[in-house]
Amino acid sequence: MKLVETPQSHLPFKLRLFFIVVLILGIVLRFYNIDGQVYWHDEALTSSRVSGYLKQEIQDEIFTGEIIHVRDLLSYQRPREGKRLWDTVRVLAIDASEHPPLYYVLLRLWCNVFGFSITAIRSFSALISLLIFPCLYWLCWELFRSPLTGWMAMAIASVSPYFVIYAREARQYSLWTALILLSNILLFRAIHRTKAGENLRGNLVNWGGYAIASALGFYTFLFSGMVAIGQGIYLVLIEKFRSTRSLYFYLLSSLVSVLLFSPWILVILSHLSQPSVSWTAVPLPFAIWLRLLAMHFSRAFIFIDRILGFNTFVNYITLPFIFLLAFYSFYFLYRHTPAKVWLFVVTLTLTLPLFLILPDLILGGQRATSSRYLVPLYLGIQIAIAYLLSVQILHPSFWKKLFWQSVTLLIITSGLISGFIYVNSDTSWNKILSFNNPQIVEAIANSENPLLITTAFGFNGGNTLALSHTLDPDLNLLFIKNSRVQADWKNPPNIPEIFNDIYFLNISDRL
């Protein structure tokens, strides 16, 4: 089908002003009250890894059975003298090889200048997230040659609760999002210019840029490999399984990317026994798994999990609307754009989710329930909807135009309201292991001369590091080095009688 043309230039002033205001509000959402939400388990591990502390080093020094204070725990959230940039890389290699070092190295360099406070660390992610806007516009221009589609995509992403939430976290997902967009932009350009008869030098430049962007993606998040496979699937399909110059250049570029990433591949292979992501294989009841999967769609446009929960009238109303809008957007894309465009968006959207959903269905697990793994899904859905809306909001029919302008306003308004609620809240669904930390802090704060006791079991180490940011620095702590499986029950911890209130954090009933 013929590509539906949207206005190429001279967007109406009011429309351009609307998009600019939305973008500004989206930027505000990324920085306002950035230290207001709980600094949760994974973010605390980011701080300790960036600071150069091994997990075993922390456990050996704090889980001793002796009384320490919160300020002692907080010291592991910033580097001591002698902890260098290399220590950051070493910690990742030993403790968390599933997390490649690019984001952490850049964050360490940032913190060396601006400090290791929550505000400084999260501001790095927020700043990186701003790169998503020009990349999104650029990709839409390459696909549709439409400024309006680019503006619409930027506006939707700027207030999307999903992108706002992860822009405000000390995690690598904003950087990963920008690199996914960049690699797709360079791939599409390289394919187009190769087909247009670009000379050898030009091809090497175009495909070389794609190879570098892919390698940077690998060094940011391992699932970039699945994104690259999806790009290869797209190229094979669009070339109709023929051996073409584009396919040869893709294979060569992919080989270069893998070679550039090979040092970290060796690190991963040497630490295959690490159980750090084993939780993804733990099965969930199918109804819960399906419900969590469905929530991915709502989180792209409206933030209701923390406020009202899933089983609410609002959720049952919004989810069908979002599903219908997403499916119709892809249908519209299929009907009105050439295969090289709609197939590109479809493979971007579906490849990674299918890599996670299929193992869950076949083997059991919860790989597909973690929204932070599904950046391409969110990008693809929002690009498809942006194209639909950019075509329809200027439709010649008054009633169609009014309807789609209302839909656009509803999406933007829902995102803005959700964002402002989120930035003024203290916790959220994405905090997972530390969701209830604000309540823990409040309970202890209302006690006189309290003692907090926990063990080294499971996620306690990371969560107590997270709690150290909000607990009283003088609070007494008693950390016991044991687990629920291995514990010296004959020699229970010695608890001094001087404390008025004693709190136990995530320990076994027997202890």
Side-chain angles (χ1 to χ4, degrees), residues 191 194-195 207 235-236 238-251:
I191 294 172
T194 301
K195 286 181 175 293
W207 288 100
L235 188 52
V236 169
I238 206 67
E239 298 291 357
K240 300 178 180 179
F241 298 91
R242 296 172 300 177
S243 298
T244 63
R245 294 180 70 202
S246 295
L247 186 58
Y248 290 139
F249 277 118
Y250 165 78
L251 293 174

Side-chain angles (χ1 to χ4, degrees), residues 139-401:
L139 180 58
C140 288
W141 173 255
E142 293 292 336
L143 292 171
F144 309 109
R145 293 295 185 212
S146 166
L148 179 54
T149 304
W151 277 102
M152 183 68 74
M154 287 194 297
I156 292 173
S158 69
V159 298
S160 166
Y162 175 83
F163 288 117
V164 169
I165 286 171
Y166 284 105
R168 296 166 57 90
E169 284 222 334
R171 306 286 280 150
Q172 63 266 49
Y173 302 109
S174 288
L175 178 59
W176 187 41
T177 304
L179 289 171
I180 288 173
L181 289 169
L182 182 60
S183 69
N184 278 282
I185 291 165
L186 297 175
L187 174 71
F188 195 82
R189 282 171 57 87
I191 294 172
H192 176 73
R193 295 192 175 191
T194 301
K195 286 181 175 293
E198 183 80 64
N199 59 36
L200 180 60
R201 181 178 179 182
N203 276 323
L204 292 177
V205 170
N206 294 327
W207 288 100
Y210 167 71
I212 293 172
S214 295
L216 292 175
F218 296 157
Y219 273 107
T220 301
F221 197 59
L222 293 184
F223 283 3
S224 297
M226 300 180 194
V227 175
I229 292 173
Q231 293 167 340
I233 292 172
Y234 164 76
L235 188 52
V236 169
L237 293 175
I238 206 67
E239 298 291 357
K240 300 178 180 179
F241 298 91
R242 296 172 300 177
S243 298
T244 63
R245 294 180 70 202
S246 295
L247 186 58
Y248 290 139
F249 277 118
Y250 165 78
L251 293 174
L252 179 61
S253 300
S254 298
L255 177 60
V256 171
S257 298
V258 172
L259 289 175
L260 290 173
F261 187 58
S262 59
W264 201 256
I265 293 177
L266 296 176
V267 170
I268 294 171
L269 292 176
S270 65
H271 294 84
L272 286 179
S273 60
Q274 289 182 176
S276 51
V277 293
S278 59
W279 62 269
T280 60
V282 177
L284 288 175
F286 182 74
I288 295 177
W289 179 88
L290 192 62
R291 186 175 71 179
L292 291 173
L293 195 65
M295 292 301 292
H296 292 317
F297 287 85
S298 68
R299 288 166 179 167
F301 302 100
I302 187 169
F303 176 82
I304 56 180
D305 312 48
R306 176 66 177 98
I307 310 163
L308 301 171
F310 182 85
N311 295 310
T312 64
F313 177 76
V314 174
N315 215 343
Y316 288 118
I317 290 297
T318 57
L319 266 179
F321 169 76
I322 293 170
F323 273 121
L324 287 174
L325 179 62
F327 287 130
Y328 180 69
S329 297
F330 280 102
Y331 173 75
F332 188 85
L333 191 71
Y334 166 74
R335 292 283 298 172
H336 298 290
T337 63
K340 70 175 184 179
V341 173
W342 69 258
L343 189 58
F344 190 89
V345 179
V346 168
T347 52
L348 167 67
T349 308
L350 295 182
T351 303
L352 179 52
L354 288 176
F355 269 110
L356 302 178
I357 290 172
L358 292 178
D360 280 357
L361 294 176
I362 297 171
L363 304 174
Q366 48 187 300
R367 302 163 187 85
T369 63
S370 295
S371 58
R372 60 188 184 273
Y373 295 164
L374 297 174
V375 169
L377 174 70
Y378 289 92
L379 288 174
I381 291 173
Q382 294 188 7
I383 288 172
I385 290 176
Y387 175 71
L388 168 68
L389 296 178
S390 66
V391 172
Q392 300 287 32
I393 62 171
L394 297 179
H395 197 282
S397 168
F398 171 78
W399 293 110
K400 284 188 176 181
K401 178 170 65 176

Side-chain angles (χ1 to χ4, degrees), residues 4-125:
V4 173
E5 299 288 347
T6 51
Q8 301 299 309
S9 59
H10 306 299
L11 297 182
F13 173 76
K14 290 183 179 179
L15 191 57
R16 189 184 298 271
L17 181 62
F18 170 76
F19 287 134
I20 291 174
V21 170
V22 171
L23 277 175
I24 292 173
L25 291 174
I27 294 171
V28 171
L29 288 175
R30 282 157 173 76
F31 289 95
Y32 171 76
N33 193 32
I34 199 168
D35 61 346
Q37 290 80 36
V38 57
Y39 197 69
W40 75 288
H41 173 277
D42 284 17
E43 291 182 292
L45 291 184
T46 294
S47 289
S48 64
R49 289 165 181 167
V50 166
S51 300
Y53 296 104
L54 291 166
K55 177 182 178 181
Q56 193 62 48
E57 177 184 1
I58 297 175
Q59 287 196 357
D60 288 345
E61 294 183 11
I62 67 173
F63 288 91
T64 61
E66 299 179 358
I67 301 293
I68 63 172
H69 298 94
V70 167
R71 70 168 65 88
D72 301 317
L73 196 60
L74 192 59
S75 67
Y76 295 96
Q77 296 289 275
R78 61 193 70 236
R80 298 171 185 163
E81 186 177 353
K83 293 288 186 181
R84 306 301 181 192
L85 183 62
W86 171 249
D87 291 297
T88 299
V89 179
R90 183 175 67 92
V91 166
L92 292 169
I94 296 174
D95 281 350
S97 60
E98 76 279 8
H99 291 289
L102 180 59
Y103 165 79
Y104 295 88
V105 168
L106 293 176
L107 180 58
R108 175 60 184 263
L109 296 174
W110 171 271
C111 291
N112 286 344
V113 177
F114 297 100
F116 290 80
S117 67
I118 294 176
T119 299
I121 291 177
R122 283 180 170 169
S123 293
F124 177 73
S125 294

